[in-house]
Amino acid sequence: MSSSGSAISPYTSLAISHPAESITHVELNRPEKRNAMNRAFWSEMVDCFNEIAADPDCRVVIISGAGKLFTAGIDLMDMAGDILQPEGDDGARISWNIRKTIVKYQETFSVIEKCPKPVVVAVHGACVGGGVDLITACDIRLCTQDAWFQIKEVDIGLAADVGTLQRLPKVIGSRSLVNELALTARKMFADEAKSSGLVSRVFADKEAMIAGALEMAGEIAGRSPVAVQGTKINLIYSRDHSVAEGLDYMANWNMSMLQTQDVMKSAQASMEKKSPKTIAFSKL
């Protein structure tokens, strides 16, 4: 997709492009290293999504991986110092510094969830370890027929600590399946990912998937940004709260957000049997 928009990026691990109006494409861009997540990646994702969140020209984001696969997960060679050699003079100080490091890495994917712009992730080939943490923080997940997913952490002697164990149970309806995947580190292939609800659509190949992701992003970008961003924020809030709390939050949200011209514009287009994409919505 990056070929259809200028891929100009200040980052070393990501390529950023704008393949269509109001759409930002974030590509994991270390294909020679199987898009393994190195030290730079963990900070660059935070900077990137903080910038996207504040960008009024962006209404939807697509994430994909360059090269032959989505990501092989954490770059152990590059990250070994942070993980295996924490600083500190005693157990308390070592633990304190380890915790700071973990919280920092958690923000790398939490920033995707906090971003008010919907995020569509397109997975091809392998999605291992940290890749699962990443995609479960996204709003819509697509994959190719050759995609596979693996919660790899138990194989390297640790419990996944940057989002998978917290978000995957919210994504997949079967707690037993989540436990099996996390405890055995077995691979889940595309058909099972679709049937379990991890992904919503499976495509024949990467080219078809990227085209599908771009079409979907275009549909989202064509709607009112007030409506779209409010929908994402309230969906996430309701996931983590009771129905009553979610309804109360929604009432408080829309008591101001309903005062937008977008409602009248959208209603007028509907009465005239026009697509919302024909409306010139103001930036948000």
Side-chain angles (χ1 to χ4, degrees):
M1 182 188 296
S2 55
S3 60
S4 61
S6 57
I8 302 172
S9 174
Y11 308 115
T12 61
S13 67
L14 306 172
I16 313 300
S17 61
H18 304 280
E21 185 177 0
S22 303
I23 298 172
T24 299
H25 179 209
V26 178
E27 190 174 39
L28 309 187
N29 193 38
R30 300 182 73 220
E32 74 287 354
K33 297 292 185 179
R34 301 188 300 165
N35 295 325
M37 299 171 176
N38 64 347
R39 197 182 300 259
F41 167 85
W42 296 92
S43 60
E44 289 183 351
M45 282 289 283
V46 175
D47 293 341
C48 175
F49 271 88
N50 282 336
E51 182 178 339
I52 287 171
D55 181 4
D57 292 319
C58 175
R59 295 186 184 178
V60 61
V61 184
I62 297 172
I63 299 177
S64 71
K68 296 181 179 180
L69 52 84
F70 182 70
T71 179
I74 190 170
D75 188 333
L76 287 172
M77 295 297 292
D78 190 65
M79 302 297 295
D82 283 357
I83 298 170
L84 301 178
Q85 297 174 327
E87 296 180 355
D89 295 330
D90 57 25
R93 288 166 177 79
I94 292 171
S95 296
W96 191 265
N97 287 323
I98 290 174
R99 187 183 190 281
K100 284 170 59 179
T101 299
I102 293 170
V103 170
K104 173 186 172 184
Y105 291 161
Q106 288 174 343
E107 183 64 13
T108 297
F109 303 130
S110 292
V111 74
I112 298 171
E113 192 170 80
K114 292 174 185 176
C115 177
K117 320 299 172 69
V119 180
V120 180
V121 64
V123 178
H124 73 291
C127 177
V128 177
V132 180
D133 294 290
L134 189 162
I135 69 169
T136 52
C138 298
D139 302 295
I140 299 172
R141 289 167 293 277
L142 315 175
C143 77
T144 56
Q145 191 62 56
D146 70 349
W148 53 273
F149 308 83
Q150 186 178 25
I151 305 171
K152 184 71 171 173
E153 283 80 355
V154 292
D155 276 355
I156 57 173
L158 57 92
D161 57 6
V162 290
T164 289
L165 302 186
Q166 292 69 40
R167 294 189 176 99
L168 190 60
K170 308 277 190 178
V171 171
I172 294 178
S174 170
R175 190 81 188 201
S176 177
L177 178 57
V178 171
N179 293 347
E180 177 192 343
L181 294 170
L183 294 169
T184 67
R186 78 164 174 84
K187 296 178 181 179
M188 171 189 273
F189 294 93
D191 289 346
E192 186 180 7
K194 173 69 162 57
S195 65
S196 70
L198 178 59
V199 302
S200 54
R201 296 181 63 184
V202 178
F203 295 83
D205 52 38
K206 184 180 180 182
E207 183 178 4
M209 177 182 63
I210 294 298
L214 185 56
E215 180 181 4
M216 185 179 295
E219 291 294 325
I220 295 169
R223 269 63 182 180
S224 158
V226 172
V228 167
Q229 294 181 41
T231 296
K232 170 171 178 172
I233 290 166
N234 277 275
L235 281 170
I236 292 174
Y237 184 92
S238 293
R239 179 198 66 188
D240 299 330
H241 295 79
S242 69
V243 172
E245 289 170 323
L247 287 170
D248 186 59
Y249 189 82
M250 187 76 250
N252 290 334
W253 183 271
N254 261 0
M255 71 182 186
S256 56
M257 292 301 116
L258 284 177
Q259 300 181 60
T260 173
Q261 297 179 4
D262 295 9
V263 173
M264 292 302 296
K265 290 179 180 179
S266 299
Q268 182 67 31
S270 179
M271 288 188 290
E272 295 175 0
K273 301 188 183 305
K274 294 180 180 179
S275 167
K277 292 190 286 185
T278 63
I279 305 169
F281 292 111
S282 298
K283 295 179 181 180
L284 181 62

